[in-house]
């Protein structure tokens, strides 16, 4: 069965304290690993797509990496405005399989 | 680019009435649109997939007669919740995909439905 898991479920960081979020997947025929940010009461905001193991993408304080079994979202020197739920998803057929998300809180 | 809008952003309706939610891709043509439902502190649950001009494909357990989906054009999909009940209260989010080998989905801001 295609599955996506994320860890940790919740993460509290002090401002400036770097960390990583994990997304593990068991999807055959992967055609993309996607990262989204979701703020409360809003739709997910697209961050990155990764297609092949070894690929990396960066945007401001965020860097996403991909291996054959998992993806990491590295957050460098986070700020309070980075607080959100981060969702990863893989696709099977036409559709997405979403992970449960990691709720990130960055304290000033 | 890749902006998706939803209307309304929130709606309150009485039990037994129907509510229509619109999803539009503003700056691209979407070959496929998706409708999700999200409960508090939970991830997104796919309800149905729709392709322009075709009948929607519903996920197992989603009542197609209750949640009517119309994908009339490459930029517009609508979700109608018929005979709404309080248990239909939820956050509904649509997404759109360009297609052609690009699997990225772009999400709308969501619609909060409250049924009283």
């Amino acid at each position: 069965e295609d599955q996506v898991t994320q860890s940790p479920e919740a993460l509290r960081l002090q401002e400036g304290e770097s960390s990583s979020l994990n997304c593990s997947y068991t999807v055959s025929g992967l055609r993309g690993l996607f990262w989204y940010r979701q703020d409360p009461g809003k739709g997910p905001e697209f961050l990155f797509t990764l297609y092949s193991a070894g690929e990396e993408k960066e945007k401001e304080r965020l860097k996403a990496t991909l291996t054959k079994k998992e993806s990491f979202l590295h957050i460098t020197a986070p700020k309070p405005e980075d607080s959100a739920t981060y969702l990863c998803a893989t696709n099977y057929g036409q559709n997405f399989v979403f992970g449960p998300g990691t709720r990130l809180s960055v304290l000033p | 680019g890749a902006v998706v809008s939803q209307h309304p952003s929130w709606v309150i309706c009485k039990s037994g009435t129907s509510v229509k939610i619109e999803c539009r891709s503003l700056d691209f043509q979407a070959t496929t649109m998706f409708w999700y439902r999200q409960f508090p502190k939970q991830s997104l649950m796919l309800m149905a997939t729709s392709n322009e001009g075709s009948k929607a494909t519903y996920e197992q357990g989603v009542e197609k007669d209750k949640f009517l989906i119309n994908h009339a054009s490459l930029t517009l999909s609508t979700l109608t919740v018929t005979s709404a009940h309080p248990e239909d209260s939820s956050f509904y989010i649509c997404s759109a995909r360009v297609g052609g080998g690009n699997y990225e989905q772009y999400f709308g801001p969501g619609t909060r439905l409250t049924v009283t």
Side-chain angles (χ1 to χ4, degrees):
Chain A
E1 181 184 336
D2 296 328
Q3 269 200 329
V4 180
T5 60
Q6 290 186 248
S7 63
E9 181 178 329
L11 180 63
R12 297 181 74 175
L13 299 173
Q14 289 296 133
E15 184 172 2
E17 180 187 0
S18 301
S19 188
S20 297
L21 314 181
N22 175 267
C23 170
S24 296
Y25 60 92
T26 54
V27 173
S28 57
L30 181 73
R31 282 180 287 178
L33 186 292
F34 307 85
W35 282 99
Y36 289 85
R37 167 191 172 131
Q38 187 176 25
D39 292 299
K42 296 187 178 181
E45 174 191 346
F46 173 76
L47 293 175
F48 304 109
T49 305
L50 303 167
Y51 287 106
S52 56
E55 189 175 358
E56 298 183 354
K57 288 193 177 174
E58 288 188 66
K59 179 181 180 181
E60 295 179 355
R61 295 178 291 282
L62 300 176
K63 183 168 82 172
T65 61
L66 182 66
T67 71
K68 288 185 179 180
K69 295 286 187 183
E70 58 191 349
S71 177
F72 291 93
L73 184 66
H74 307 279
I75 303 177
T76 302
K79 297 182 178 181
E81 53 262 42
D82 294 322
S83 297
T85 295
Y86 290 86
L87 300 165
C88 72
T90 63
N91 65 300
Y92 71 101
Q94 288 197 80
N95 304 333
F96 272 7
V97 177
F98 273 96
T102 293
R103 291 193 309 279
L104 174 66
S105 299
V106 182
L107 308 175
Chain B
V3 178
V4 177
S5 70
Q6 271 183 252
H7 178 80
S9 56
W10 59 270
V11 57
I12 301 172
C13 71
K14 292 186 176 180
S15 188
T17 62
S18 295
V19 174
K20 180 185 284 188
I21 303 170
E22 289 188 351
C23 176
R24 292 180 185 273
S25 57
L26 297 184
D27 53 0
F28 66 101
Q29 292 186 326
T31 57
T32 308
M33 287 185 166
F34 305 84
W35 287 95
Y36 293 84
R37 186 172 180 175
Q38 188 174 34
F39 293 103
K41 296 192 176 180
Q42 293 188 25
S43 194
L44 285 77
M45 181 188 77
L46 180 65
M47 299 175 65
T49 303
S50 73
N51 293 291
E52 184 261 342
S54 303
K55 287 186 177 180
T57 302
Y58 291 81
E59 294 297 298
Q60 193 171 10
V62 177
E63 299 176 60
K64 61 181 179 181
D65 293 331
K66 181 168 189 61
F67 298 99
L68 302 179
I69 292 172
N70 183 275
H71 193 159
S73 75
L74 286 173
T75 60
L76 173 65
S77 177
T78 60
L79 168 68
T80 302
V81 183
T82 63
S83 187
H85 288 98
E87 56 265 32
D88 298 325
S89 299
S90 191
F91 192 52
Y92 293 88
I93 312 173
C94 72
S95 71
R97 190 177 72 198
V98 174
N102 182 339
Y103 295 96
E104 293 165 2
Q105 291 185 26
Y106 299 94
F107 287 82
T111 297
R112 172 74 57 193
L113 171 63
T114 302
V115 185
T116 61

